[in-house]
Amino acid sequence: MTNCHLRKHTPDPTVLIRILTLTFLLTNTAVTAEPDYLKVVTAYADALLTHGRDTYGLVRSPLIATTLDRYTYERLDEDDPPQILGVRDRERMIGGANPMHDQGLYQILYALSTLTGDDRYGLEADLTLGWFLENCAHPATDLYAWGEHMGWHFDEERRIHKIAGTLHEFYRPWVLWDVCYILEPKSAFRFARGLWENQIGNHDTGNFSKHALYDQHGPTVNGDEPRHAGYFLSTWATAFQQTLDERYLQDLTMGTWSIVFAERRNRSLDHAMKRVIAFIESKRSPESGAIRADSATPKKTEPWRGRLVFPIDNLSLAVDLGWSAEIVEPILASKMRLTAARTDSAFLKMDHQPDGKGFLVGAHLYNLEPHGAEEAQRSRLWLDRAIENPFRDYGTFVIRSHAGVANLCYERFQQTEKRGYHDLVIKTARQYLEAEPQISAVGSPGLSDWLMEILTGTEDPVYPRMMGQAIKLMLNAYDLSGDRRYLERADYFAQWSIRTFLGDASLPRATHRHDHYEAVTGGDALMLALLELWAVREGKRDELELVWMDR
């Protein structure tokens, strides 16, 4: 008989962590019966229309709150809201509304009227947007209280007062201009003109800043990120299109007629677009073909300035140029397409590795090598949020997810049919066929969850926007390939998201760790993706005109 000596083994902590993580995934991410996505999206819309309206202050407006308790629908304490990693205080609109944070919601409302035959949803969207357009522009600039830094306060009946609260900056492209020109054409035209007067600091060269003052004229230069040029160009292109539409002019008031016919005479919008396109071309490197992030002069504390490229900004600009070229006059359209094509060439020759290190998001202007701080050079699999700006002592820098960039590639492929974009979408989508969101639990962490998150490196909050991007990518890959694995994976992510962000409530959590609703983290993007998934499954995708605005 053999003598066996038993020894005590100290458990390997990494093994325990893996076991706990696997246990969580098995018990919390198993696929259950498929939910009714249309019912989920409708409940979200109904909750905000019923409980999210402005019932505060002297003016009870139809605006919709961006931040609410998910169960009581009360607003959060403006002085002490829960802090969210990656969201600055200046981006939060705790006390009111910001339509630019809710573009997905408005698209959903119009889509629900189309799908259900219930006109109420579209009419409520009209009511909200119309009131905002009529009441929330400043007379000194004609700019709206929306975007990256501003919102409209329900109690004070004015812009929300906070740090940087007078800065006008686009948060996303505004994809609802066609609706705006139906609801409040005079306001929309004046805003387009206000962009030229207040964002473009040098009308001779087209040099601009993404920042402008909301309440006074004071344009500056050299804050000229390319994606913001795209936002301006698409705004002007739509306004330009409206001035040429004779059928549309029949419904205008006399006050708006004067704006339209003045534009026809002086062609200021045409001039604005030409100037900004020429300026963008002046920023392009002859060596690499890429467009630098800004035109500022390098200095000791910021040596990267003037030499850094944000490839995703370049791609976003190309997308806006592509759509704008469809609605402007032929000579200008050819300039737009040429600028976009040059941008395509630079983007597609960069070292993008969506199936490895990630997309290149920080590059050197002259050689397109990874440039800048290491954490800001590549996209991430499950991270799409702001980090502390590695390039300067203040501000933030947005890290893009693989899925978010691939969705932009899909948009550009739809415009160009360039095989390079197609391949980047498919390579990225393959990554998400196996990848799992890295969370250990849902809700505010207890001590054990908090420790586990530190040990496993999963303390980063997952935003609903991130999961909306993943679902959208799976649908895009399915559209390009016809491979049902992508559609099934979209279902998987959708069900995971409903369990994680919704639970028994109608509004999504701000993150998997925060139990309130806050539009700035992209709940509208998740809901828009769920609606599109439903439409694809029901064969109704072509009935809807949904525009992905998450760039």
Side-chain angles (χ1 to χ4, degrees):
M1 180 171 142
T2 305
N3 293 323
C4 295
H5 298 281
L6 300 180
R7 293 180 297 172
K8 287 187 176 181
H9 289 273
T10 302
D12 184 342
T14 61
V15 173
L16 290 176
I17 289 168
R18 290 172 183 168
I19 291 172
L20 288 170
T21 303
L22 180 60
T23 301
F24 172 80
L25 291 174
L26 290 174
T27 57
N28 290 276
T29 61
V31 176
T32 58
E34 182 178 311
D36 184 339
Y37 301 130
L38 182 60
K39 183 177 179 180
V40 170
V41 172
T42 302
Y44 157 76
D46 286 341
L48 288 172
L49 291 179
T50 304
H51 304 292
R53 279 321 203 342
D54 172 14
T55 59
Y56 307 88
L58 296 176
V59 178
R60 304 299 174 92
S61 78
L63 295 180
I64 297 172
T66 64
T67 310
L68 293 167
D69 184 287
R70 294 170 61 239
Y71 296 98
T72 68
Y73 299 106
E74 295 295 323
R75 291 183 300 172
L76 272 60
D77 182 356
E78 287 186 75
D79 296 325
D80 189 28
Q83 294 301 301
I84 300 176
L85 190 63
V87 179
R88 297 176 295 175
D89 288 341
R90 64 179 61 188
E91 297 166 4
R92 309 179 78 179
M93 310 299 158
I94 306 297
N98 183 346
M100 204 169 270
H101 285 174
D102 282 332
Q103 288 185 76
L105 168 63
Y106 300 121
Q107 292 192 71
I108 286 168
L109 293 175
Y110 290 121
L112 288 177
S113 283
T114 299
L115 294 170
T116 66
D118 187 345
D119 291 338
R120 177 177 64 93
Y121 292 106
L123 291 173
E124 292 292 346
D126 286 349
L127 184 66
T128 302
L129 289 173
W131 194 94
F132 179 83
L133 296 169
E134 184 179 5
N135 293 279
C136 300
H138 198 283
T141 62
D142 293 319
L143 301 177
Y144 298 130
W146 66 358
E148 183 87 8
H149 307 283
M150 285 193 293
W152 193 258
H153 202 288
F154 288 167
D155 296 297
E156 299 176 4
E157 321 299 348
R158 48 164 282 173
R159 67 168 180 83
I160 296 173
H161 182 73
K162 56 190 176 67
I163 295 175
T166 61
L167 286 181
H168 180 270
E169 177 186 353
F170 276 75
Y171 176 71
R172 296 160 153 172
W174 182 248
V175 301
L176 295 167
W177 282 124
D178 287 344
V179 172
C180 295
Y181 280 100
I182 294 172
L183 297 175
E184 288 290 338
K186 186 175 182 180
S187 174
F189 276 123
R190 293 174 71 109
F191 176 85
R193 189 172 61 188
L195 281 183
W196 170 248
E197 295 296 338
N198 296 283
Q199 303 265 186
I200 313 303
N202 188 322
H203 284 189
D204 293 326
T205 66
N207 195 333
F208 66 90
S209 174
K210 65 181 182 179
H211 291 145
L213 294 174
Y214 168 69
D215 53 3
Q216 59 182 298
H217 180 70
T220 58
V221 296
N222 292 342
D224 45 320
E225 293 180 10
R227 69 186 173 100
H228 287 271
Y231 301 161
F232 301 162
L233 289 165
S234 62
T235 300
W236 292 328
T238 307
F240 182 81
Q241 179 192 38
Q242 298 293 343
T243 67
L244 303 178
D245 190 337
E246 296 292 347
R247 294 168 302 170
Y248 168 78
L249 289 179
Q250 296 174 10
D251 298 324
L252 294 185
T253 63
M254 288 301 295
T256 312
W257 268 46
S258 64
I259 295 175
V260 171
F261 285 113
E263 172 56 35
R264 286 187 170 188
R265 288 193 306 272
N266 60 38
R267 302 181 67 83
S268 64
L269 294 175
D270 183 71
H271 175 73
M273 288 185 279
K274 288 178 179 176
R275 289 270 59 78
V276 169
I277 291 170
F279 175 66
I280 286 294
E281 284 296 342
S282 75
K283 293 175 45 165
R284 191 184 300 279
S285 165
E287 293 87 357
S288 70
I291 303 166
R292 62 179 178 264
D294 65 37
S295 300
T297 303
K299 54 186 179 180
K300 186 175 181 180
T301 57
E302 297 178 346
W304 54 271
R305 303 205 72 166
R307 299 188 183 123
L308 182 67
V309 172
F310 295 151
I312 314 311
D313 273 32
N314 279 223
L315 181 55
S316 179
L317 169 64
V319 168
D320 278 318
L321 286 167
W323 295 127
S324 298
E326 298 295 321
I327 57 176
V328 298
E329 292 184 329
I331 294 177
L332 179 57
S334 66
K335 292 179 182 291
M336 288 181 167
R337 292 190 177 105
L338 179 58
T339 294
R342 289 170 174 164
T343 305
D344 292 331
S345 297
F347 184 86
L348 290 173
K349 71 183 180 183
M350 294 180 190
D351 181 28
H352 300 300
Q353 300 179 36
D355 51 354
K357 295 179 181 179
F359 284 92
L360 191 62
V361 297
H364 196 285
L365 177 64
Y366 302 122
N367 58 24
L368 301 183
E369 292 293 321
H371 186 59
E374 185 175 353
E375 67 270 27
Q377 293 178 1
R378 296 282 178 179
S379 62
R380 312 284 180 84
L381 193 62
W382 292 112
L383 184 65
D384 192 282
R385 65 166 178 82
I387 63 172
E388 292 295 323
N389 197 321
F391 302 113
R392 53 165 65 109
D393 295 332
Y394 59 92
T396 58
F397 179 85
V398 177
I399 295 294
R400 301 295 181 183
S401 71
H402 299 350
V405 181
N407 289 332
L408 253 182
C409 291
Y410 174 82
E411 284 196 65
R412 191 61 183 142
F413 175 74
Q414 295 295 99
Q415 296 173 340
T416 66
E417 297 188 350
K418 287 184 178 292
R419 185 72 187 185
Y421 287 122
H422 172 283
D423 293 347
L424 287 171
V425 173
I426 297 301
K427 284 181 181 179
T428 310
R430 287 175 185 155
Q431 288 282 86
Y432 287 87
L433 285 176
E434 301 296 333
E436 295 283 349
Q438 299 176 358
I439 69 171
S440 59
V442 175
S444 298
L447 178 60
S448 60
D449 288 335
W450 178 72
L451 290 172
M452 183 176 176
E453 288 186 348
I454 292 175
L455 290 170
T456 58
T458 57
E459 68 274 11
D460 259 325
V462 177
Y463 293 3
R465 175 175 64 237
M466 178 66 248
M467 298 311 299
Q469 290 174 353
I471 295 167
K472 175 65 174 170
L473 173 59
M474 295 299 100
L475 294 176
N476 290 342
Y478 176 63
D479 180 55
L480 294 181
S481 68
D483 188 337
R484 291 192 65 84
R485 291 182 302 162
Y486 295 118
L487 186 57
E488 292 166 2
R489 195 62 173 171
D491 270 324
Y492 178 86
F493 286 143
Q495 294 174 48
W496 186 97
S497 298
I498 289 170
R499 290 193 305 275
T500 301
F501 294 111
L502 288 166
D504 59 352
S506 297
L507 300 181
R509 289 182 169 92
T511 79
H512 83 283
R513 277 308 193 193
H514 296 79
D515 204 34
H516 69 283
Y517 164 75
E518 191 159 356
V520 71
T521 59
D524 68 328
L526 172 60
M527 291 298 170
L528 195 67
L530 292 179
L531 180 60
E532 186 173 351
L533 174 56
W534 178 88
V536 170
R537 283 217 162 272
E538 297 297 320
K540 296 179 180 291
R541 191 180 199 180
D542 292 340
E543 296 181 22
L544 304 179
E545 296 182 4
L546 304 179
V547 180
W548 192 249
M549 66 283 150
D550 197 21
R551 54 181 175 88

